[in-house]
Amino acid sequence: MDPCPCGSGRTFTECCKPVIEGERSPVTAEELMRSRYAAFATGNVDWIMASHHPDTVDEIDRDEVAQWSGSSEWLGLKIRATEGGGADDNTGTVVFRARYQVQGRQVDHNERAHFERDGGEWRFHSVLEAEDDAPVLVPVGPKSDVGRNDPCPCGSGKKYKKCHGAAA
């Protein structure tokens, strides 16, 4: 029994899978957010697209979503706060951190996501604020070709020895 990628502590089968597969609708904006994260982690691009609000779905590219979903290792989701988005609300905001690794770099993606009901169903509408603000973990070790005085590969603009090299 695999744990759900959304971090709820329940199994995938009892948590996000029934929502992703259309067996039941999410009751809250947070539940939809969790199912969308689980869909990214499991490569279910159909649910990512279907759970997007019709007013904004044309702003995303299915192929790019599939590439991002498939090329990333999904490391965890933390819901930081919710505003509205309950069973009796029509709009809501979910503030979260999604952690993933792509091309050997770990990213902490922080976002305030806006959700709205469409035909009674929760849908992801838009990003109110997003930031990938955590330091990128750069794979550096004995086989690394990054020198102490080279620019840090994380893109900070600092020398490696003053950035990620300081912790090595």
Side-chain angles (χ1 to χ4, degrees):
M1 299 191 110
D2 293 328
C4 192
C6 82
S8 68
R10 299 182 311 181
T11 67
F12 180 57
T13 302
E14 65 186 8
C15 188
C16 289
K17 185 177 180 183
V19 173
I20 291 170
E21 293 184 352
E23 296 171 14
R24 67 176 181 80
S25 297
V27 176
T28 65
E30 179 181 333
E31 188 177 14
L32 177 62
M33 178 63 239
R34 288 182 177 282
S35 74
R36 286 176 55 86
Y37 178 86
F40 272 102
T42 59
N44 193 316
V45 178
D46 288 340
W47 177 245
I48 296 166
M49 299 302 292
S51 63
H52 211 287
H53 197 281
D55 289 349
T56 56
V57 72
D58 291 339
E59 298 171 10
I60 60 173
D61 182 294
R62 181 186 177 83
D63 292 337
E64 287 178 12
V65 169
Q67 194 279 330
W68 182 32
S69 172
S71 67
S72 300
E73 178 185 355
W74 299 89
L75 305 173
L77 173 70
K78 178 173 173 123
I79 303 296
R80 295 178 179 252
T82 59
E83 301 162 14
D88 297 325
D89 295 319
N90 288 317
T91 64
T93 301
V94 179
V95 181
F96 67 91
R97 179 184 73 192
R99 294 178 54 242
Y100 63 94
Q101 184 170 313
V102 62
Q103 297 179 347
R105 293 185 176 157
Q106 185 173 307
V107 178
D108 281 1
H109 175 79
N110 295 283
E111 183 174 307
R112 287 179 64 86
H114 177 67
F115 294 82
E116 291 184 7
R117 288 198 188 263
D118 177 60
E121 300 291 329
W122 281 111
R123 298 288 181 243
F124 168 76
H125 187 274
S126 53
V127 175
L128 300 175
E129 182 179 353
E131 187 175 300
D132 292 337
D133 64 352
V136 176
L137 301 180
V138 181
V140 176
K143 298 179 182 175
S144 173
D145 58 353
V146 178
R148 288 177 30 83
N149 291 314
D150 290 340
C152 190
C154 78
S156 68
K158 298 178 184 177
K159 288 184 179 183
Y160 174 71
K161 67 183 179 186
K162 296 286 186 178
C163 194
H164 284 89

